[in-house]
Amino acid sequence: MSATGIRLHAPAPGWALAADIVVVGSGVAGLTTALRCSAAGLKTVVVTKARLDDGSTRWAQGGVAAALGDGDTPEQHLDDTLLAGAGLCDEEAVRLLVTEGPDAVRRLIETGAQFDTGPEGVIELGREGGHHRRRIAHAGGDATGAEISRALVEAVRAQGIPTVENALVLDLLTDAEGRTAGVSLHVMGEGQHDGVGAVHAPSVVLATGGMGQVFSATTNPSVSTGDGVALALRAGAEVSDLEFVQFHPTVLFLGADAEGQQPLVSEAVRGEGAHLVDADGVRFMVGQHELAELAPRDIVAKGIMRRMQETGADHMYLDAGHFGAEMWEKRFPTIIAACRAHGIDPVTEPIPIAPAAHHASGGVRTDPHGRTTVPGLYACGEVACTGVHGANRLASNSLLEGLVYAERIAADIAARHAENALHARVPAPVAHPDVPAHPLLPPEARFAIQRVMTEGAGVLRSADSLSEAAARLARIHAEAAGALAEEGKTAEPGVDTWEATNLLCVARVLVAAALRREETRGCHWREDHADRDDEAWRRHIVVRLNADRTLAAHTTATPDFPPTTSLQEK
């Protein structure tokens, strides 16, 4: 796969660091990779967009799914994952996840993470949607992500791993042969480094999290603007399954016009016995699935949307008043605090909820070692498409995926260094282009993109809605490209314009893939193609960016991904 030659319009790097590996992102995937690489003796640098503890991981409420309980097995976990993934999971990738997962969780505990335990010191396990057993390890009741983040951040600091905080990654640097040579980045604020710089390294790991901010309402933090996927596309990497965006069924409803990050009401609340009801108190999920409220997320989200359509309501309710105050405050302190902050007391009244964008099941295509189609570039966590999630992620598999595949990436990079495959090479990036190859969007384009995506590519999709979304996104793209081509003008480089440009890039790919997939599968719901079509569509849609900024999409011939490693091995 050749690089596109496309880079964001930005000043040339004014400073540089050198390392064996640069990890972009500071969630569970990024920090686990960094810790394992550092322990293997590799000079590791962590770059993160905000503070070290400010990524998506800290917002995770439910926990980590793993076969840790008596009677549970990796095979049972595999079965639940494959069922949720609606025929598109890579079974070998899932098998790696569920078999290596329990030990990865134990190593996380050795790193310092403290999970909730019972009186005898045994880890307490909860249950969430799609799981037939209690296998969700949690911490602080509903603050699992915050505890994992705390433990990993403390370990990174204890090891003295160099970090560059408040840094937005811009583009992949490559050498004359097209191999990874590091990243360019912009550091926001004062510190040892400021402005645009570079980290030169033969291995780059993208662990940048999701792209939920492409929609108006999401559970994702404001930093989740698809930067890693956009960077990978500009670098010539393939992305896959981007049409499968999981909308979490139970997000605190703050009004039809609410925008930005919305408070999540964890699936674990339903796992402990909360009921989904309409305004009349009717449990509408009963009879729709054997697990009722604990069906996989795509089924629950669809059930909620159908009931909203039937009743003309803009939200449904989650009723857990029977928990009592003591259980609410012990098991779900974060959620009850968020509800009360918005004037709702779940102890005495049902919680208004509605689906909102939550997790991207697709992303940068990788192999079992996290390698992308660009040599030296790896991806891990939500930015990656390992094949684990298929068409719909099983609840609480995401933190486990970050743990397991981070360890696999670190082992692969360490092995390659040991074999001198990378060690003998000092990356020499090609020169920074004098002419901007990619037009930047004005900051206000971010909100226009979010409205387009929410209206046309949200929970409910159709050929008409997606075609309209594609046309509106194309106009936004064409206006910026035309101004650059005809007048040599582009928006002023800066965080807001870089983020808006990245959002447009991932939005275009998502819509193109969703328009192409003419069926309903997992969390991709086409109103005009209501049925799942295994014969025609048990396939993956793979997209890359052409040098002229057009998209090249193709559908795989089988449910299996083609190898990613042909360029890596050269």
Side-chain angles (χ1 to χ4, degrees):
M1 184 68 61
S2 60
T4 64
I6 301 172
R7 290 184 180 175
L8 290 174
H9 179 33
W15 53 269
L17 302 174
D20 294 322
I21 171 177
V22 54
V23 177
V24 186
S26 61
V28 62
L31 295 188
T32 301
T33 304
L35 286 166
R36 300 294 180 265
C37 285
S38 178
L42 302 177
K43 185 177 180 181
T44 305
V45 173
V46 174
V47 172
T48 187
K49 192 172 179 181
R51 299 187 307 275
L52 206 57
D53 61 352
D54 207 21
S56 293
T57 292
R58 68 186 285 253
W59 298 99
Q61 293 176 346
V64 184
L68 298 167
D70 291 341
D72 197 4
T73 65
E75 198 69 26
Q76 294 176 65
H77 190 181
L78 180 141
D79 289 344
D80 284 346
T81 301
L82 295 180
L83 184 62
L88 277 187
C89 294
D90 181 319
E91 185 168 342
E92 182 56 30
V94 178
R95 194 171 297 279
L96 290 173
L97 178 83
V98 299
T99 55
E100 298 180 12
D103 283 342
V105 173
R106 294 182 185 105
R107 283 187 288 273
L108 178 62
I109 293 171
E110 292 171 1
T111 302
Q114 298 177 11
F115 290 94
D116 295 338
T117 58
E120 297 180 1
V122 178
I123 294 177
E124 292 181 338
L125 299 174
R127 187 178 171 196
E128 295 184 5
H131 293 272
H132 284 79
R133 299 187 67 96
R134 297 180 77 89
R135 65 166 64 98
I136 315 300
H138 51 82
D142 59 359
T144 311
E147 170 58 18
I148 291 173
S149 181
R150 178 204 63 78
L152 292 174
V153 168
E154 287 186 6
V156 164
R157 287 175 174 157
Q159 286 195 21
I161 298 174
T163 62
V164 183
E165 297 181 284
N166 300 307
L168 171 64
V169 67
L170 299 175
D171 281 301
L172 188 74
L173 303 178
T174 55
D175 63 16
E177 297 178 349
R179 295 179 180 272
T180 293
V183 292
S184 59
L185 61 153
H186 174 78
V187 179
M188 301 165 271
E190 298 179 359
Q192 183 179 358
H193 306 290
D194 200 5
V196 175
V199 181
H200 296 159
S203 297
V204 170
V205 179
L206 296 178
T208 52
M211 54 182 190
Q213 289 289 327
V214 78
F215 294 96
S216 297
T218 177
T219 62
N220 288 194
S222 60
V223 295
S224 297
T225 51
D227 307 319
V229 171
L231 175 149
L233 283 163
R234 290 192 295 271
E238 292 182 347
V239 303
S240 185
D241 296 359
L242 226 61
E243 68 271 32
F244 297 117
V245 175
Q246 188 175 78
F247 286 76
H248 198 289
T250 54
V251 176
L252 186 62
F253 181 74
L254 301 180
D257 297 326
E259 296 183 342
Q261 186 179 8
Q262 311 289 301
L264 177 66
V265 182
S266 171
E267 201 156 277
V269 178
R270 282 175 280 139
E272 296 296 341
H275 301 145
L276 284 166
V277 298
D278 60 20
D280 296 322
V282 176
R283 286 183 62 191
F284 55 87
M285 284 304 299
V286 175
Q288 292 199 34
H289 190 275
E290 60 167 336
L291 297 177
E293 285 93 351
L294 284 177
R297 288 179 178 175
D298 62 315
I299 294 171
V300 178
K302 291 171 187 175
I304 292 171
M305 294 300 296
R306 287 193 186 101
R307 196 63 166 183
M308 287 165 56
Q309 289 177 323
E310 291 168 1
T311 61
D314 54 12
H315 66 281
M316 289 287 112
Y317 295 92
L318 188 64
D319 187 0
H322 55 286
F323 284 6
E326 182 178 356
M327 179 179 173
W328 261 113
E329 290 169 3
K330 178 182 178 182
R331 181 67 176 87
F332 302 111
T334 305
I335 297 170
I336 193 171
C339 289
R340 286 174 171 170
H342 291 283
I344 300 154
D345 188 349
V347 176
T348 60
E349 60 186 316
I351 305 168
I353 54 88
H358 183 56
H359 188 277
S361 292
V364 186
R365 192 164 77 81
T366 72
D367 71 1
H369 302 282
R371 304 168 188 157
T372 73
T373 51
V374 173
L377 179 64
Y378 296 75
C380 190
E382 192 174 350
V383 70
C385 181
T386 62
V388 160
H389 304 308
N392 180 58
R393 176 180 66 104
L394 181 65
S396 287
N397 267 356
S398 51
L399 291 176
L400 189 70
E401 181 192 31
L403 283 172
V404 168
Y405 282 88
E407 293 188 342
R408 297 185 68 82
I409 287 172
D412 189 73
I413 294 173
R416 286 166 173 261
H417 274 263
E419 296 168 0
N420 291 320
L422 297 175
H423 212 47
R425 179 174 75 88
V426 176
V430 296
H432 188 277
D434 293 328
V435 179
H438 203 42
L440 298 181
L441 300 179
E444 59 270 20
R446 175 176 184 145
F447 306 105
I449 294 165
Q450 290 171 334
R451 286 191 292 271
V452 168
M453 295 300 289
T454 298
E455 293 168 8
V459 181
L460 303 178
R461 302 167 177 176
S462 67
D464 289 344
S465 75
L466 290 165
S467 296
E468 175 64 18
R472 292 169 68 184
L473 294 174
R475 286 196 292 272
I476 295 172
H477 174 75
E479 288 174 5
L484 179 63
E486 297 170 13
E487 306 171 29
K489 293 182 179 180
T490 187
E492 191 69 24
V495 174
D496 289 346
T497 58
W498 289 320
E499 286 185 335
T501 303
N502 285 338
L503 284 172
L504 178 62
C505 181
V506 297
R508 291 175 64 214
V509 175
L510 192 162
V511 169
L515 193 54
R516 189 181 184 98
R517 182 173 292 280
E518 296 180 335
E519 65 159 356
T520 289
R521 180 186 297 271
C523 53
H524 173 65
W525 186 4
R526 285 283 297 261
E527 293 182 284
D528 52 336
H529 295 281
D531 298 322
R532 173 171 154 177
D533 183 356
D534 279 351
E535 183 176 352
W537 286 108
R538 192 164 173 251
R539 308 283 189 271
H540 300 277
I541 296 173
V542 178
V543 183
R544 60 180 174 81
L545 188 64
N546 293 323
D548 62 358
R549 299 190 292 276
T550 59
L551 300 177
H554 73 273
T555 305
T556 60
T558 72
D560 299 323
F561 279 122
T564 64
T565 55
S566 58
L567 286 176
Q568 295 267 11
E569 301 300 332
K570 290 183 179 179

